[in-house]
Amino acid sequence: MNASTLDPVLLIGGAGRVGSRAARSLRSMHPELPIAIAGRDLGKARQLASEVGHASAVAVDLERADLGLDGSAAFSAVVVLLKDDSLNALQFAQAHGVPYVAISDYAFDIGPEVAMAIARPTASPVLLLGHFLGGIAVLATLHAVRDLQRVDNIEMAAIFSPADIGGPTAQADMARVAGIAPHPLMLVDGHWVWAAGAEAQRTFTDIDGMTLQGQAYPLLDVVSLAAVTDAMSVRIDAAMREDEEASPGHRLIIDVAGVGRCGESQRTRWVIEDSDFHQGMSGMGLALAIERLLGLDGGKPVAPGLHHPETILDPESVMNRLKEWGVRFHSY
């Protein structure tokens, strides 16, 4: 599909730190793709639109079914980078038959979206992207287990530096999760549990030998990886480093255990790092997902239905793209 013939991709919350990186990634990948940026601060959205080029700033009202837009407004995709409690953006995308992407929904959030996608299965593609790093963590893990004939255990550890926790929107969402979230969801020995207390904590060793205390987080990576790999145990934890001068102080560690092609037990550790880790890589993951949904990668546009990143993106292709962009992904 030719990007120049498409209606703009609407990024709601697109002026934030992840949204701005997604916009810049899309512009780098597809110079002719029109982009519409909607943000709480319209001035900031206009500034970003001017910087990325071939883009516009729009005002969106999530309290209205029409999003407060002119009736003639048309978009090729609707992407929501903040929590939309009304789900008006999803209904808008379904009414217009265009892809919808939600990047701020956790494992406990998705019931209403799943129900709406099931109720209107032919309306539009609905991509649930409440995964770490915009789906990159799941795809990197699938790359890591590609040579195993059986996957037994997956443990992911997201390590942050204090400077990489996101802007006001991300911090508000973290506060929302802290206030209303149930216990984190994980798969333990073949059983789904909402972990509490010590079970939700995990002590692990970073690649530099430092011992860190992780807290399980209710991200969709757990359900995606459990479904695709048939692993018996899957969890993802987050930990914060206090030594801001450590370089790099932010990374994703993926520990996998299983059985190799020749029947031998295997345990491997993979690490993914980048100088702009959480925000930048989340923007990259989102940009790659939008590209795939619209068929801008040379394939057909994604058909209507309910999707996760691993159902529309090829792990090997994504990892190759990331390496070309300077992301470091290696085994230990």
Side-chain angles (χ1 to χ4, degrees):
M1 184 172 290
N2 190 331
S4 64
T5 65
L6 292 174
D7 291 319
V9 172
L10 176 61
L11 301 179
I12 300 176
R17 295 187 182 180
V18 173
S20 63
R21 286 163 171 80
R24 291 186 175 99
S25 292
L26 280 173
R27 177 58 61 241
S28 175
M29 293 157 58
H30 300 284
E32 299 303 317
L33 177 68
I35 300 172
I37 299 167
R40 292 189 177 98
D41 186 335
L42 197 56
K44 190 175 178 181
R46 290 193 181 103
Q47 181 179 351
L48 177 61
S50 177
E51 290 175 8
V52 300
H54 200 33
S56 60
V58 297
V60 164
D61 184 355
L62 290 175
E63 297 302 316
R64 294 179 49 169
D66 63 359
L67 303 185
L69 297 166
D70 184 272
S72 62
F75 304 99
S76 61
V78 176
V79 180
V80 180
L81 292 109
L82 44 79
K83 183 58 183 171
D84 175 16
D85 292 320
S86 70
L87 290 185
N88 279 329
L90 171 53
Q91 295 184 75
F92 181 90
Q94 289 181 321
H96 291 79
V98 299
Y100 169 84
V101 183
I103 198 171
S104 295
D105 292 310
Y106 294 81
F108 60 87
D109 272 329
I110 63 172
E113 286 170 313
V114 170
M116 288 177 65
I118 291 172
R120 304 173 183 86
T122 61
S124 65
V126 175
L127 175 61
L128 300 180
L129 199 60
H131 300 68
F132 190 51
L133 304 180
I136 287 175
V138 164
L139 299 167
T141 303
L142 293 178
H143 174 89
V145 304
R146 69 194 187 284
D147 291 329
L148 296 179
Q149 64 166 299
R150 190 185 79 211
V151 180
D152 295 328
N153 187 65
I154 299 172
E155 293 178 331
M156 293 176 286
I159 303 169
F160 294 90
S161 72
D164 198 37
I165 59 175
T169 298
Q171 294 184 40
D173 199 46
M174 290 174 68
R176 176 182 73 88
V177 173
I180 68 170
H183 300 302
L185 180 65
M186 62 178 65
L187 184 64
V188 181
D189 295 329
H191 298 276
W192 288 104
V193 299
W194 294 94
E199 193 173 33
Q201 307 288 323
R202 180 164 70 94
T203 300
F204 61 93
T205 304
D206 201 351
I207 60 174
D208 59 4
M210 179 175 287
T211 299
L212 297 176
Q213 179 69 43
Q215 167 69 43
Y217 220 58
L219 297 175
L220 292 176
D221 303 71
V222 174
V223 293
S224 281
L225 289 170
V228 174
T229 67
D230 291 327
M232 294 296 290
S233 297
V234 185
R235 65 183 293 159
I236 182 168
D237 300 270
M240 183 72 71
R241 290 190 65 130
E242 297 180 359
D243 53 332
E244 294 190 48
E245 295 182 1
S247 180
H250 31 261
R251 58 176 65 91
L252 174 67
I253 295 176
I254 305 167
D255 290 310
V256 298
V259 176
R261 304 267 175 146
C262 298
E264 76 283 10
S265 295
Q266 284 193 13
R267 181 176 293 274
T268 59
R269 166 170 280 197
W270 291 76
V271 178
I272 186 167
E273 299 173 314
D274 188 69
S275 58
D276 188 10
F277 179 66
H278 181 223
Q279 300 158 38
M281 292 188 63
S282 296
M284 292 179 195
L286 177 55
L288 289 168
I290 294 170
E291 176 187 65
R292 177 75 287 278
L293 284 166
L294 298 177
L296 294 174
D297 58 352
K300 293 181 179 179
V302 173
L306 189 58
H307 302 279
H308 272 170
E310 71 278 4
T311 67
I312 67 170
L313 289 165
D314 174 62
E316 306 311 311
S317 297
V318 168
M319 299 318 297
N320 287 334
R321 297 278 293 277
L322 293 176
K323 288 177 182 177
E324 291 173 1
W325 294 339
V327 175
R328 299 176 297 282
F329 183 57
H330 45 94
S331 60
Y332 269 76

